[in-house]
Amino acid sequence: MKGLSISKIRPPRRWGIGTVLLMLCALVGTALSAIATPDFSGTVDVVPLNTQLGAQIYLQRCGSCHLAVPPETLPTQAWQVLIQETNHYGAALEPISRPELGPLWNYLRTYSRPLPEDSQIPFRVGRSPFFRILHPRVQVPQPVTLNGCAQCHPKATLFNFRELSPQWLDSP
């Protein structure tokens, strides 16, 4: 190679490709963080990151057909049966896929409480002792219906059970 000096050969501009990739990753990350991340600030308990995927699956699977009640309202044993049943109170459901089942069960198990072994498992919120514990001074209309929750919890459809209707704000 006549007339070509080694000092005139430039190394490839790898930093340019790296910079473009870094900017692309930042853009995608920003877009993904803006996509429908539920606000769990109104839930009964704080939902940390390690259970938020299960909470999202719960809201998508259960909250798309009816009001999704906090896991605290039913015992652990009831949730364990409910998420595996395909006959859900007379409605035929598709089974929950294995990849969804793990995080969903982790979320429900974390926020529910087990009943003593000799107890009958309630599969209705109004029959659950934990529902009664969460509502100690409330005269709950009978029968308890999921739609009735919104009378006292106006943002229940947004999975916010901390915000109460004005009549309950100053109640004892």
Side-chain angles (χ1 to χ4, degrees), residues 124-157:
R124 300 278 181 183
V125 172
R127 295 183 187 146
S128 171
F130 302 125
F131 176 77
R132 294 297 320 149
I133 290 168
L134 290 168
H135 299 85
R137 295 180 301 272
V138 178
Q139 292 294 325
V140 180
Q142 295 296 325
V144 174
T145 64
L146 297 182
N147 293 333
C149 298
Q151 291 175 354
C152 299
H153 305 277
K155 293 190 176 178
T157 57

Side-chain angles (χ1 to χ4, degrees), residues 58 62 66-85 88-89 101 104-105 107-109 111-113 121-123 125:
Y58 172 68
C62 305
H66 58 74
L67 180 73
V69 296
E72 294 87 345
T73 58
L74 287 173
T76 306
Q77 297 94 323
W79 288 117
Q80 188 174 21
V81 172
L82 288 171
I83 64 173
Q84 296 180 65
E85 287 288 319
H88 187 69
Y89 301 102
L101 195 56
L104 174 61
W105 173 237
Y107 168 67
L108 294 171
R109 181 183 57 217
Y111 293 101
S112 61
R113 296 159 188 84
I121 301 170
F123 291 100
V125 172

